[in-house]
Amino acid sequence: DGMNVLFIVVDDLRPVLGCYGDKLVKSPNIDQLASRSVVFSNAYAQQAVCAPSRVSFLTGRRPDTTRLYDFYSYWRVHAGNYSTMPQYFKENGYVTLSVGKVFHPGVSSNYSDDYPYSWSIPPFHPLTEKYENDKTCRGKDGKLYANLVCPVDVTEMPSGTLPDIQSTEEAIRLLNVMKTNKQKFFLAVGYHKPHIPLRYPQEFLKLYPLENITLAPDPWVPAKLPSVAYNPWTDIRQRDDVKALNVSFPYGPLPDDFQRQIRQSYYAAVSYLDMQVGLLLNALDDVGLSNDTIIVFTADHGWSLGEHGEWAKYSNFDVATRVPLMFYVPGMTTSSVRQGERVFPYLDPFSHVLDLAPQGQRKKVVELVSLFSTLAELAGLQVPPVCPETSFHIALCTEGASIVRYFNASEEQVEEEKDRCDVCFNEEPVAFSQYPRPADTPQWNSDKPRLKDIRIMGYSMRTTDCRYTLWVRFNPSNFSADFEDVHAGELYMVETDPNQDYNIYNNTSHGCFL
């Protein structure tokens, strides 16, 4: 009958996790999942902002096909009536359920999270979501502020809880309903943290003493960074605590001590997230479905923590586009456990330090646009066809190939296979991302330009060896990019410049496998 699917998507989570080699973070529950999963260490989003990224991977189409680069259009009306991944599972006998932030709410999902197309019942949003940007952060003077850095006493919050806690509770309730009804399900759970504001239970600060927090390895604006590539982090400038610093626009910088506080709170929010994931997976054990459920864990994009002097997503750098991506598939990534044996016992982030290696680490470059095809194949469904070059008129096709072929093979086996069989692996995998800008220099709307204001599109290609980006003229009225009109270029060699600080685009002595 095929397996259930638990699809966990996190907002703004870069791979600061123990299973990705981060030595500071406490993420035992996600690390435990990774120890039973295939983990992709080079997975990339197609655009580093929420709505375009989510619509892209949920439809299996790139932003130039969804024609969504901002938050203000619904692809079924604006571009084409494309089927979504949950819709495809629903049409193939699954009960499809959405909890929390899966689609970006609002216009971009027709104010309904694409219900009833994608979901069997109306999606659940926590009631406390509406307080997310309110003045709930207590300052040193005892007053309440709408701060960026926002550790809180949960008992003082509206309804005495937080949105992600409510999402976990609802997801657990639905798991129990599914067990009782014996229905095959596709359950998507979207967590908000570590999206700003960095609001989380204050006890998680204890895990990260400020003296242990370092600055980004490159907290300066790189000398040869084209100004069009820079994002001026206008989101955080609107927060009360950042406003009080009176930081100059567009480059800042923020004071070093405040940079450490942001990084500290981001880590604390990740551990708070880890607790929610742990409770959810523990509940999957409780209902006896861990052996019958594929689990996917990923994020919509990353977030800069001071790298290049930036504090946001909104760019084509790895820190903004690279995401965690892991697949737990019973019987494939791990052997099935005996009846009654727990697969995902809850691990308290305050007392558990895990040193578990991922079941299989894959270094191949992959893209989130491949999620649709990959999950369909893992679930035993017919894999949707590959889209032709122009696919606005085609309801069901994907622009990302399934990556299941990387699951069972070690890196060495894949390379050997590639040498023997050009048909099987006939090209080096590449990830494409893009980001729009209104102008060549940082403006107040550079981070999130509306479609009508986009004048330049940065198309970025990530290979194993390099990141190559061209910023070209873009016409928003007909969605066309003019690659003859190049405004700027970037080229970073990953092996010698992993942080992408030294742009060698104009250095003809360097090449990149293109």
Side-chain angles (χ1 to χ4, degrees):
D1 292 335
M3 292 199 187
N4 305 308
V5 176
L6 175 57
F7 183 80
I8 303 171
V9 58
V10 184
D11 216 341
D12 290 21
L13 177 65
R14 54 192 265 165
V16 287
L17 299 164
C19 53
Y20 279 86
D22 192 291
K23 303 298 185 191
L24 184 62
V25 75
K26 308 290 192 299
S27 54
N29 293 288
I30 299 170
D31 296 346
Q32 179 173 247
L33 172 63
S35 74
R36 292 160 171 74
S37 302
V38 165
V39 176
F40 286 89
S41 55
N42 283 299
Y44 297 91
Q46 275 45 78
Q47 190 178 325
V49 68
C50 303
S53 175
R54 289 164 187 265
V55 169
S56 173
F57 67 68
L58 287 165
T59 61
R61 317 278 184 126
R62 300 183 186 279
D64 279 344
T65 307
T66 65
R67 291 182 164 173
L68 180 68
Y69 315 103
D70 56 17
F71 299 83
Y72 308 107
S73 62
Y74 179 43
W75 78 92
R76 293 187 190 273
V77 174
H78 181 69
N81 191 18
Y82 311 142
S83 297
T84 68
M85 175 167 47
Q87 178 182 355
Y88 189 59
F89 275 79
K90 183 182 172 190
E91 290 167 353
N92 280 276
Y94 282 73
V95 176
T96 56
L97 308 158
S98 174
V99 172
K101 185 176 176 182
V102 180
F103 279 101
H104 193 280
V107 185
S108 61
S109 56
N110 202 32
Y111 298 100
S112 67
D113 297 275
D114 198 46
Y115 174 79
Y117 292 99
S118 289
W119 311 108
S120 302
I121 61 174
F124 170 88
H125 283 277
L127 288 174
T128 55
E129 223 171 54
K130 62 188 176 188
Y131 305 112
E132 193 66 0
N133 294 307
D134 287 4
K135 294 183 182 241
T136 55
C137 320
R138 197 165 297 284
K140 290 179 182 174
D141 58 4
K143 296 178 182 175
L144 293 177
Y145 295 91
N147 285 344
L148 169 65
V149 173
C150 188
V152 297
D153 179 342
V154 176
T155 62
E156 294 181 354
M157 292 300 99
S159 302
T161 187
L162 290 170
D164 283 346
I165 295 172
Q166 289 190 300
S167 289
T168 300
E169 290 167 350
E170 175 64 10
I172 291 171
R173 187 188 74 79
L174 288 172
L175 285 175
N176 281 282
V177 170
M178 290 299 102
K179 182 199 177 184
T180 302
N181 295 356
K182 295 184 167 55
Q183 291 175 290
K184 191 166 57 171
F185 63 82
F186 179 108
L187 170 60
V189 182
Y191 286 114
H192 277 268
K193 295 305 118 182
H195 191 288
I196 64 170
L198 298 169
R199 190 169 69 128
Y200 53 87
Q202 60 195 13
E203 55 267 26
F204 284 91
L205 270 179
K206 298 174 194 167
L207 294 173
Y208 303 102
L210 202 54
E211 59 267 23
N212 294 349
I213 306 298
T214 59
L215 299 180
D218 52 349
W220 61 87
V221 180
K224 294 186 178 179
L225 180 72
S227 57
V228 69
Y230 185 80
N231 75 75
W233 32 279
T234 49
D235 270 4
I236 77 164
R237 293 172 188 272
Q238 294 162 32
R239 306 288 165 175
D240 290 344
D241 49 354
V242 180
K243 268 187 197 170
L245 298 171
N246 194 24
V247 179
S248 61
F249 184 89
Y251 296 111
L254 291 171
D256 285 2
D257 61 337
F258 194 72
Q259 291 190 38
R260 288 190 175 89
Q261 287 178 46
I262 297 174
R263 289 168 67 89
Q264 176 193 38
S265 276
Y266 188 91
Y267 274 98
V270 171
S271 290
Y272 161 56
L273 161 75
D274 182 79
M275 173 179 273
Q276 302 310 312
V277 172
L279 293 169
L280 176 61
L281 297 182
N282 184 66
L284 193 67
D285 268 357
D286 286 344
V287 295
L289 292 175
S290 297
N291 267 341
D292 307 297
T293 303
I294 296 164
I295 303 171
V296 186
F297 179 90
T298 193
D300 54 358
H301 44 71
W303 208 74
S304 300
L305 284 169
E307 293 86 1
H308 314 112
E310 297 180 329
W311 299 91
K313 45 257 191 180
Y314 315 130
S315 82
N316 284 317
F317 287 118
D318 277 16
V319 284
T321 56
R322 183 171 169 245
V323 294
L325 178 62
M326 60 190 78
F327 297 85
Y328 162 81
V329 187
M332 179 186 283
T333 65
T334 185
S335 54
S336 298
V337 300
R338 291 190 297 273
Q339 189 70 30
E341 191 176 335
R342 299 193 76 81
V343 184
F344 301 113
Y346 174 72
L347 302 174
D348 184 349
F350 291 91
S351 56
H352 279 88
V353 179
L354 278 192
D355 191 20
L356 293 173
Q359 184 64 26
Q361 192 96 25
R362 300 288 178 263
K363 295 178 183 176
K364 286 288 179 189
V365 172
V366 296
E367 308 176 278
L368 289 189
V369 76
S370 293
L371 279 172
F372 192 159
S373 302
T374 303
L375 266 177
E377 183 173 346
L378 289 173
L381 305 181
Q382 185 172 348
V383 178
V386 176
C387 292
E389 190 170 344
T390 303
S391 62
F392 297 107
H393 59 292
I394 299 174
L396 180 64
C397 68
T398 69
E399 294 178 321
S402 168
I403 57 175
V404 173
R405 64 188 184 278
Y406 299 141
F407 277 40
N408 289 323
S410 68
E411 297 296 321
E412 294 74 22
Q413 286 171 318
V414 170
E415 289 306 319
E416 287 172 18
E417 193 72 17
K418 182 178 173 183
D419 292 339
R420 287 200 306 270
C421 174
D422 287 340
V423 178
C424 309
F425 300 92
N426 58 2
E427 58 184 35
E428 180 70 18
V430 172
F432 294 98
S433 304
Q434 60 190 97
Y435 211 84
R437 293 283 189 241
D440 288 296
T441 54
Q443 315 286 315
W444 277 101
N445 63 338
S446 286
D447 293 350
K448 294 186 285 189
R450 285 181 174 255
L451 175 63
K452 66 181 176 60
D453 297 322
I454 298 171
R455 295 293 176 270
I456 303 164
M457 187 69 73
Y459 289 95
S460 191
M461 184 173 78
R462 179 63 154 85
T463 71
T464 305
D465 301 317
C466 70
R467 179 170 285 287
Y468 177 64
T469 305
L470 285 180
W471 297 90
V472 302
R473 184 167 66 86
F474 185 82
N475 184 340
S477 61
N478 61 6
F479 306 93
S480 66
D482 182 0
F483 282 86
E484 300 297 311
D485 187 355
V486 177
H487 286 231
E490 299 171 80
L491 176 58
Y492 307 98
M493 306 309 292
V494 175
E495 188 174 350
T496 54
D497 181 22
N499 297 322
Q500 296 161 24
D501 294 322
Y502 302 100
N503 180 14
I504 58 170
Y505 175 74
N506 292 321
N507 185 343
T508 54
S509 66
H510 289 81
C512 180
F513 175 72
L514 303 179

